[in-house]
Amino acid sequence: EHLHFKYGNKIASLAALFVTLCFSAFGQAKGILSTTNKKAIKHYHEAQKLFDAHNDSDAAKALLQAIKEDSNFVEAHGLLGYAYEEMNHDEEAITQFKKAISINPHFFPNLFFTLGKLDLKNGHYNEALAALEEFQKHGTSDEEMQWYTGLFISDCKFAHDAIQHPV
């Protein structure tokens, strides 16, 4: 039985802020993306516009096309994860975040936070703990994220203990 995820509204607001910040930051270091495939880049830019317009389903389709062109396109996997999260397709989002992290774990460390949050929400407590602890290692200057990371880690440990020692 999953623990009740009681921080939903606050986390949804934080996630929306994250999505805006992270995907304006993805690939913005001198305009460089993790791919040079022109078709993949075209689909990715199309997806960004669709995602910004809250057309998550069409954004996901464009991102799948970008990934078809370059399966190691980190930004496409990350944004696809966020599009799936917005559509409440948590397991698909988790898969995409894990793929982005597996390609380059240092590319955007905030993906560890989002992955941990989704794993916690879906009762994957050990996976959530590992992702959140990894995020904590990378550090953040965002005090709200630091607070939530600590809270989520505590929730993971509590859930793990509750499962191991039911009342």
Side-chain angles (χ1 to χ4, degrees), residues 50-165:
L50 291 163
F51 186 81
D52 288 344
H54 305 287
N55 188 344
D56 303 319
S57 179
D58 287 340
K61 290 174 189 171
L63 290 161
L64 288 168
Q65 287 298 314
I67 291 167
K68 184 177 178 184
E69 295 294 334
D70 182 351
S71 63
N72 289 318
F73 191 178
V74 178
E75 296 92 339
H77 285 287
L79 187 54
L80 182 56
Y82 282 109
Y84 282 146
E85 180 182 17
E86 289 295 313
M87 294 186 292
N88 294 313
H89 298 169
D90 290 353
E91 293 301 329
E92 291 91 340
I94 288 168
T95 298
Q96 292 305 315
F97 292 136
K98 285 181 177 179
K99 179 63 176 173
I101 289 168
S102 74
I103 295 167
N104 184 346
H106 305 290
F107 187 80
F108 194 68
N110 286 359
L111 290 179
F112 286 105
F113 177 87
T114 307
L115 176 60
K117 175 192 65 144
L118 283 175
D119 274 331
L120 174 61
K121 177 183 172 193
N122 288 281
H124 311 148
Y125 304 118
N126 292 333
E127 294 90 342
L129 182 60
L132 293 164
E133 287 178 339
E134 187 62 32
F135 174 72
Q136 211 170 38
K137 286 181 198 172
H138 287 278
T140 181
S141 60
D142 184 313
E143 291 180 15
E144 190 171 12
M145 285 181 69
Q146 291 173 6
W147 185 84
Y148 275 108
T149 302
L151 178 68
F152 294 160
I153 287 173
S154 295
D155 287 350
C156 290
K157 290 178 179 178
F158 175 83
H160 183 266
D161 188 53
I163 291 168
Q164 294 299 314
H165 310 295

Side-chain angles (χ1 to χ4, degrees), residues 33-48:
L33 293 169
S34 66
T35 187
T36 57
N37 183 301
K38 290 180 186 195
K39 288 182 181 179
I41 292 169
K42 177 182 164 267
H43 291 299
Y44 177 74
H45 287 307
E46 176 189 343
Q48 281 183 309

